[in-house]
Amino acid sequence: MINLNIVILAAGIGKRMQSSQPKVLHVLAGKPLLEHVLDVARALLPKKICVVYGHGGERVPRAINDNEIIWVKQEVQLGTGHALLQTLPYLDAEGVTLVLLGDVPLIKVDTLERLIAKAAKNNFVLLTTELDAPFGYGRIIRNQATGTIQAIVEEKDASESQLEIREINTGIMVLPNSLIHEFLPKLQNKNSQGEYYLTDIVAMAVEAGIEVDSAHPVHSWEVLGVNSKAHLAKLERIAQYEHANNLLKQGVMILDPSRIDIRGQLICGNNVEIDINCIFEGIVQLGDDVKIGAHCILRDVAISSGTTIFPFSLIESAEIGKSCHVGPYSRIRPGTRLSDESHIGNFVEVKNSSIGMGSKANHLSYIGDAIIGTKVNIGAGTITCNYDGAFKHQTIIEDDVFVGSATQLVAPVRVARGSTIGAGSTITRNTPEDQLTLSRSKQISITGWKRPQKNKT
Ligand code: UD1
Ligand code: CA
């Protein structure tokens, strides 16, 4: 295999982003643009990866935090050629260098593998594509008779007729290291932008009798760059549509692939169904036959087989067992474990609690810092009072307990196995097993009482 170095250019200002954040740290599908490019670079198993950074300073290496990357600082941004020049001391004498751009995040591994394969005999190969709207990109100038590549002309330096050319420079290329070492130091900045253009190396190579070849991406969206927030939003939709279509191919029923957002990793079993407008963040695992209703948000969640999440539920850092029902409108907060066949219904909030097998809290409750046994029924409006203003306390509800509606359980408290709690009770002490416990004043009726009435004057 050919000796491969990779350089990612990521020092540019990104003025059109209108942001104080470095461009390459803007987030696409849940991770920074640069992280997308790095993932692709790592998949190619190069000998080394250099990242040229500059604008935004140390924020970029700090955000990425990977010790194997060679971080090369470009103190002033004098152009793409000047950026690559900074890496010269780190590039091998032998083999080739793949140049990637930190703001071109959707490039695919197999496209780059084809590009590198073409460069296998130490050739100079550009990744080019034809665009209907080539605006803003460098144009590929070919010899009209032979079709061979002669040069790249930047949009700002192009003549009227050159602007008509639809074949563009994606900015991604493979160069023999010997060629970089020989020609890069000779670049000049005599152009409309006063920059050292990496693209000028093409004409220099051609002049020296070196042939420049080209390869092409499968989809032209792979090489779209992010130069503004509008581009970022457009690429986000492309990335999401791709992700959704891959899941559809694996057999996941996504009701509308244009209305789903996956900002991390979504791992699905067989026969999973996902309704519209759901957001998945971090690592989400859905077992066989899981159904996710419309408008749910799931972040770092594992859901076992046969469970249904009904619409408008928000679930974070939780583990949900088999054949559970959650929602509609449930909020499951971090540290929650729902055992198999449990039900959490509408307007129920569960935090840092475990709910035993077959237990139910179907309506309007807050369950926090609680351990709930099996086959427990939590009546509507039940609340664990877990916070005394300074500390959190635990509520333990043992197996087969029935908690009547609108009960307050003042923690720390233990409701023993088989207890029944009368509706409307405030429970401040542990209850005995298998008995009815209630704490409420007796119901009275006042004879002769009249409702107040407004005087008619
Ligand atoms: C560049 C190419 C153009 C190509 C386009 C594809 C040149 C001269 N032009 O133009 O032919 O069609 O990409 O998207 O190469 N960067 C640095 N240091 C610098 C300048 C840029 O690291 O001094 C980095 C940027 O962070 C960015 C990449 O290089 O990741 C491209 O720079 P940019 O200014 O966006 O170049 P374009 O004008 O888009
Ligand atoms: Ca660009």
Side-chain angles (χ1 to χ4, degrees):
M1 234 176 62
I2 197 156
N3 179 40
L4 178 66
N5 297 167
I6 296 182
V7 173
I8 302 174
L9 305 183
I13 296 174
K15 232 185 275 162
R16 282 180 284 162
M17 295 301 283
Q18 308 275 11
S19 166
S20 58
Q21 202 187 24
K23 172 156 84 174
V24 293
L25 294 185
H26 282 75
V27 170
L28 176 90
K31 62 185 179 192
L33 295 176
L34 181 54
E35 197 69 76
H36 286 266
V37 183
L38 280 166
D39 283 347
V40 172
R42 292 184 191 112
L44 295 166
L45 306 173
K47 196 167 152 207
K48 57 183 86 162
I49 299 176
C50 298
V51 179
V52 183
Y53 72 107
H55 183 75
E58 304 308 315
R59 270 192 281 174
V60 175
R62 226 182 291 132
I64 301 298
N65 191 24
D66 176 339
N67 301 329
E68 293 195 354
I69 294 170
I70 302 169
W71 293 98
V72 182
K73 192 160 188 184
Q74 186 191 21
E75 295 286 350
V76 276
Q77 286 80 53
L78 301 179
T80 51
H82 180 260
L84 185 61
L85 191 64
Q86 310 308 304
T87 68
L88 217 52
Y90 306 97
L91 300 182
D92 295 328
E94 308 281 293
V96 296
T97 292
L98 166 66
V99 176
L100 297 173
L101 306 184
D103 62 352
V104 179
L106 299 183
I107 188 70
K108 289 189 154 224
V109 174
D110 55 347
T111 292
L112 295 177
E113 279 171 347
R114 275 189 295 108
L115 177 72
I116 294 162
K118 263 203 166 169
K121 290 189 208 97
N122 246 6
N123 304 343
F124 185 177
V125 191
L126 304 175
L127 187 70
T128 77
T129 191
E130 292 204 357
L131 295 182
D132 290 334
F135 178 74
Y137 292 93
R139 308 295 205 280
I140 305 293
I141 311 296
R142 288 181 184 266
N143 180 305
Q144 296 204 330
T146 61
T148 53
I149 293 174
Q150 301 295 297
I152 298 174
V153 176
E154 289 305 298
E155 163 119 354
K156 287 183 177 141
D157 303 292
S159 66
E160 287 285 314
S161 63
Q162 287 170 332
L163 288 175
E164 303 276 298
I165 298 170
R166 288 177 43 230
E167 187 183 9
I168 61 105
N169 171 34
T170 65
I172 294 170
M173 57 182 79
V174 178
L175 307 98
N177 286 341
S178 56
L179 185 141
I180 298 178
H181 286 289
E182 184 182 348
F183 292 107
L184 204 60
K186 297 180 187 159
L187 282 182
Q188 296 195 327
N189 61 353
K190 291 184 188 131
N191 50 57
S192 65
Q193 302 187 79
E195 285 185 7
Y196 295 89
Y197 291 163
L198 173 56
T199 45
D200 283 350
I201 206 167
V202 173
M204 291 164 97
V206 169
E207 193 146 309
I210 297 163
E211 203 178 302
V212 182
D213 206 345
S214 61
H216 315 285
V218 179
H219 314 279
S220 47
W221 51 253
E222 286 178 57
V223 299
L224 292 175
V226 175
N227 296 306
S228 64
K229 295 268 165 73
H231 290 159
L232 187 58
K234 180 179 171 190
L235 265 64
E236 177 76 30
R237 285 338 305 160
I238 294 171
Q240 293 301 344
Y241 200 69
E242 261 295 290
H243 211 143
N245 271 308
N246 286 335
L247 288 167
L248 282 165
K249 272 183 219 152
Q250 288 166 31
V252 180
M253 189 57 232
I254 293 174
L255 268 69
D256 183 352
S258 65
R259 284 183 290 172
I260 185 168
D261 287 85
I262 301 164
R263 300 168 185 164
Q265 223 184 328
L266 175 58
I267 305 154
C268 295
N270 280 320
N271 205 30
V272 166
E273 199 179 294
I274 300 170
D275 208 337
I276 59 160
N277 290 342
C278 292
I279 301 176
F280 300 90
E281 296 187 342
I283 299 174
V284 175
Q285 296 183 61
L286 306 180
D288 296 346
D289 304 303
V290 165
K291 289 190 170 50
I292 309 292
H295 306 279
C296 288
I297 302 175
L298 275 60
R299 182 177 302 136
D300 293 314
V301 175
I303 300 179
S304 299
S305 58
T307 286
T308 301
I309 311 295
F310 293 94
F312 296 100
S313 295
L314 167 59
I315 309 179
E316 292 171 86
S317 302
E319 232 178 278
I320 297 180
K322 293 180 192 162
S323 305
C324 294
H325 289 189
V326 176
Y329 298 99
S330 295
R331 177 162 184 217
I332 310 289
R333 292 171 52 198
T336 296
R337 259 201 85 245
L338 304 187
S339 299
D340 299 349
E341 292 164 37
S342 55
H343 291 191
I344 300 296
N346 38 213
F347 309 108
V348 175
E349 175 181 349
V350 185
K351 185 214 82 172
N352 188 35
S353 296
S354 71
I355 311 284
M357 185 162 162
S359 292
K360 296 175 183 172
N362 274 329
H363 328 269
L364 299 157
S365 282
Y366 172 62
I367 299 168
D369 303 308
I371 298 175
I372 296 180
T374 61
K375 295 213 166 69
V376 168
N377 188 79
I378 306 281
T382 295
I383 286 169
T384 55
C385 310
N386 60 328
Y387 185 50
D388 61 13
F391 301 103
K392 300 279 170 64
H393 300 282
Q394 194 172 52
T395 301
I396 296 173
I397 302 177
E398 296 182 355
D399 299 347
D400 295 311
V401 164
F402 182 96
V403 179
S405 298
T407 294
Q408 298 100 51
L409 299 159
V410 182
V413 70
R414 174 186 291 265
V415 181
R417 173 187 300 269
S419 297
T420 300
I421 308 293
S425 294
T426 301
I427 301 297
T428 54
R429 284 176 285 130
N430 295 353
T431 71
E433 287 185 11
D434 297 319
Q435 289 186 24
L436 172 65
T437 301
L438 64 167
S439 75
R440 49 163 121 104
S441 52
K442 284 225 165 68
Q443 180 168 328
I444 57 169
S445 302
I446 297 168
T447 47
W449 180 84
K450 290 262 181 331
R451 272 189 207 166
Q453 281 188 330
K454 279 188 183 163
N455 289 333
K456 286 179 193 147
T457 49

